[in-house]
Amino acid sequence: MRQTILAVLSLSTLAVLLTGCGGDMVLLNSKGPVAAGQSDLMMKAIGLMLLVVIPSIIMALWFGWKYRASNKDADYEPTWTHSTTIEVVVWGVPVIIIGILAWLTWWGSHKYDPYRPIDSDKAPVNVQVVAEAYKWIFIYPNEQIATVNEMRFPEKTPVSLRLTSNFTMNSFFIPQLAGQIYAMAGMQTHLNIMADSTGEFRGFSSNYSGYGFSQMRFKAYSMTEADYQAWVAAVKANEGTKVNPAAIQKGLLDQTEFASLRDGHRAKVQIEHIVARAVTPEEKAEAAKIAAEGTYPTKPHPVTYYSSVEPKLFESVINRYMSNYHGADDHATDTHANVEHAKASAEE
């Protein structure tokens, strides 16, 4: 019994430490209708499951105490084989709980579908998100501005996000506003969020994507409508640093500038390994070329503002990976066939 008590106390202490007692339990500290609904759904599911877990733990402790070797008053029934009451409880209660969880899952999947627009009398702010190595790029197509590692939007206003990736798969996550959504090369996903009040929210990638993964962090700011419009105007006027002095203000975000945002292709330890293994002149030349490309970052990319954006830059990132599926191969085949047909006609 003593060992059981110690085990229970140890698990309780561990649970308190894992939940960050006294800290900010960000997943349960929702600041928007989507995250609040998801948190409520999660707590309902946990509560339903505890209807089985808690009685099971209590009965396990109680049975161990009642039928201990020193208790001579406990009933001893070696021929006992069946109890209809127990069968109904151990099968009926879980079936009912699973049925309720199934309904909650179906309802929640539709209610909090990331593609579903948020009901509001305000028009949504459209933001295009690109996962780059290793940073987040936010393009505002209506305002014709862009940012790196920072997103701003007005409070109590829906924000419609369209996401893609310019390298490997990543997961976009602002825990206090909504669940995570994947960003994948050549594809487009959607996420709708809204903040109930002004504030600063932590965003990051929750999907490991390489050595620089830990640097894929950004800040999301919910602002008043007036402050948001003032920020947009400042960025468009190349004066974004008046709002955020730590940021870097630049001009046009075009294909050339976009390409320059890509960090090195390998981690420092990888480059050192390649250089150390290079023996032949060819290998050494290739190693030097790789070393010149630079390494992955060891700290997040500084917040950067762009006063204008090349039209359809977001779409070009998607098409870069999907050109073959958009008819590029068929177009090349048709062109080749037309050339061959023209040659044949000329020979005739």
Side-chain angles (χ1 to χ4, degrees):
M1 188 61 186
R2 182 182 178 184
Q3 292 179 340
T4 302
I5 295 175
L6 289 175
V8 172
L9 291 175
S10 299
L11 291 174
S12 300
T13 303
L14 181 61
V16 171
L17 292 174
L18 289 176
T19 55
C21 184
D24 183 11
M25 298 174 64
V26 65
L27 287 175
L28 302 180
N29 187 18
S30 305
K31 298 298 183 182
V34 177
Q38 292 174 338
S39 296
D40 181 63
L41 194 63
M42 179 177 64
M43 296 308 296
K44 287 179 179 178
I46 292 174
L48 284 169
M49 290 183 285
L50 287 178
L51 293 178
V52 172
V53 174
I54 291 178
S56 298
I57 294 175
I58 293 174
M59 286 189 293
L61 297 173
W62 181 68
F63 288 164
W65 172 255
K66 180 177 181 179
Y67 295 104
R68 68 192 186 279
S70 61
N71 185 11
K72 304 302 181 182
D73 297 329
D75 297 331
Y76 178 64
E77 299 180 11
T79 59
W80 182 88
T81 58
H82 178 74
S83 171
T84 302
T85 302
I86 292 177
E87 290 290 338
V88 170
V89 172
V90 300
W91 286 103
V93 173
V95 166
I96 293 173
I97 291 176
I98 290 173
I100 298 174
L101 287 173
W103 181 84
L104 283 175
T105 301
W106 180 87
W107 176 83
S109 297
H110 290 80
K111 176 67 174 179
Y112 303 111
D113 181 358
Y115 282 56
R116 179 178 179 176
I118 297 175
D119 296 330
S120 175
D121 57 353
K122 296 182 179 180
V125 174
N126 296 309
V127 182
Q128 299 167 338
V129 185
V130 181
E132 183 56 91
Y134 281 91
K135 58 186 68 68
W136 293 98
I137 301 171
F138 301 95
I139 301 173
Y140 294 72
N142 297 339
E143 291 79 3
Q144 280 298 298
I145 62 173
T147 66
V148 177
N149 281 349
E150 183 182 281
M151 181 171 68
R152 293 178 182 257
F153 47 86
E155 63 172 334
K156 300 177 182 179
T157 301
V159 181
S160 177
L161 303 173
R162 296 167 59 197
L163 304 99
T164 191
S165 175
N166 194 38
F167 72 128
T168 187
M169 182 174 71
N170 266 276
S171 179
F172 181 89
F173 195 17
I174 307 177
Q176 290 183 282
L177 297 182
Q180 66 86 28
I181 191 74
Y182 286 108
M184 295 166 281
M187 301 179 67
Q188 179 184 165
T189 51
H190 296 256
L191 181 66
N192 292 277
I193 63 175
M194 185 167 72
D196 292 330
S197 60
T198 60
E200 175 185 315
F201 309 104
R202 180 167 57 96
F204 54 89
S205 172
S206 59
N207 186 84
Y208 181 74
S209 54
Y211 280 96
F213 157 75
S214 60
Q215 311 308 325
M216 292 197 69
R217 305 191 299 270
F218 65 93
K219 292 290 182 64
Y221 295 93
S222 174
M223 318 169 68
T224 63
E225 179 67 30
D227 288 343
Y228 173 72
Q229 295 298 336
W231 171 74
V232 171
V235 173
K236 292 178 72 71
N238 283 308
E239 297 176 347
T241 53
K242 290 184 177 180
V243 178
N244 183 359
I248 298 172
Q249 176 71 60
K250 292 189 176 182
L252 173 65
L253 177 61
D254 57 8
Q255 294 290 350
T256 302
E257 177 65 20
F258 184 83
S260 70
L261 291 174
R262 171 63 63 91
D263 288 311
H265 298 282
R266 292 173 176 82
K268 181 179 179 181
V269 63
Q270 291 176 308
I271 294 177
E272 291 175 348
H273 182 70
I274 293 172
V275 173
R277 289 174 58 91
V279 178
T280 66
E282 292 79 10
E283 291 175 343
K284 291 181 178 181
E286 181 64 22
K289 179 181 178 182
I290 292 174
E293 293 175 347
T295 63
Y296 287 149
T298 57
K299 58 182 179 180
H301 189 281
V303 174
T304 306
Y305 297 147
Y306 290 92
S307 60
S308 59
V309 183
E310 178 181 305
K312 296 190 178 299
L313 180 62
F314 179 78
E315 289 77 5
S316 69
V317 175
I318 299 176
N319 294 336
R320 184 177 306 163
Y321 297 91
M322 296 297 289
S323 59
N324 289 340
Y325 296 95
H326 291 165
D329 288 347
D330 294 339
H331 176 72
T333 302
D334 293 341
T335 302
H336 179 73
N338 292 336
V339 171
E340 293 298 322
H341 178 73
K343 288 183 179 179
S345 301
E347 291 175 356
E348 292 177 358

